[in-house]
């Protein structure tokens, strides 16, 4: 049996949480899944396994371009871009420098 997320332990936050990449880069994904216990309650420092962004008119360009490139570079495993206007979710899998669009 193949599972999409074969990790032992998964944590999902029900409230928005910051991901502090470095001192000058902090992002707040719409939702995320991590598989580690954060060392700081205010933010996470390690890349999430799965990141979700829900497009809106004001965020679409940033979500599709800047955040896409940032999340790939910083080691997220999956990036899910949800477009409620089109009723579609695009799932991107980042692995060893290659990008796979799953849906």
């Amino acid at each position: 049996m193949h599972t999409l997320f074969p990790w032992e332990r998964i944590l999902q936050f029900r409230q928005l949480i910051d991901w502090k990449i470095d001192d000058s880069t902090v992002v707040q994904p719409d939702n995320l899944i991590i598989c580690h216990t954060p060392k700081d309650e205010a933010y996470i420092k390690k890349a999430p396994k799965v990141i979700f962004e829900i497009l809106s008119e004001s965020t679409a360009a940033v979500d599709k371009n800047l955040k896409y490139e940032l999340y790939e570079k910083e080691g997220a495993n999956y990036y899910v871009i949800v477009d409620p206007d089109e009723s579609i979710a695009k799932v991107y899998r980042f692995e060893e420098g290659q990008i796979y669009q799953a849906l």
Side-chain angles (χ1 to χ4, degrees):
M1 180 176 160
H2 175 74
T3 58
L4 183 60
F5 307 122
W7 307 298
E8 293 180 18
R9 194 170 126 224
I10 296 175
L11 295 175
Q12 179 189 25
F13 292 90
R14 298 214 184 274
Q15 75 276 0
L16 294 176
I17 187 165
D18 290 337
W19 173 20
K20 185 176 181 180
I21 296 169
D22 58 40
D23 287 338
S24 64
T25 309
V26 178
V27 292
Q28 189 179 77
D30 291 327
N31 207 334
L32 54 86
I33 297 172
I34 64 171
C35 296
H36 66 280
T37 302
K39 294 181 180 182
D40 190 301
E41 293 180 13
Y43 53 84
I44 61 170
K45 287 187 174 182
K46 189 174 175 183
K49 294 290 185 180
V50 184
I51 299 174
F52 299 87
E53 294 289 1
I54 301 169
L55 299 181
S56 69
E57 194 173 312
S58 63
T59 66
V62 171
D63 292 342
K64 290 179 179 179
N65 299 296
L66 181 73
K67 285 188 174 182
Y68 178 98
E69 292 172 9
L70 181 66
Y71 296 163
E72 175 193 9
K73 177 183 162 224
E74 294 300 328
N77 293 96
Y78 294 87
Y79 181 32
V80 182
I81 301 175
V82 179
D83 187 336
D85 292 336
E86 298 293 325
S87 298
I88 191 168
K90 292 184 179 179
V91 181
Y92 297 92
R93 177 178 165 199
F94 304 130
E95 185 177 298
E96 297 178 20
Q98 295 186 355
I99 302 166
Y100 305 92
Q101 184 173 341
L103 295 174

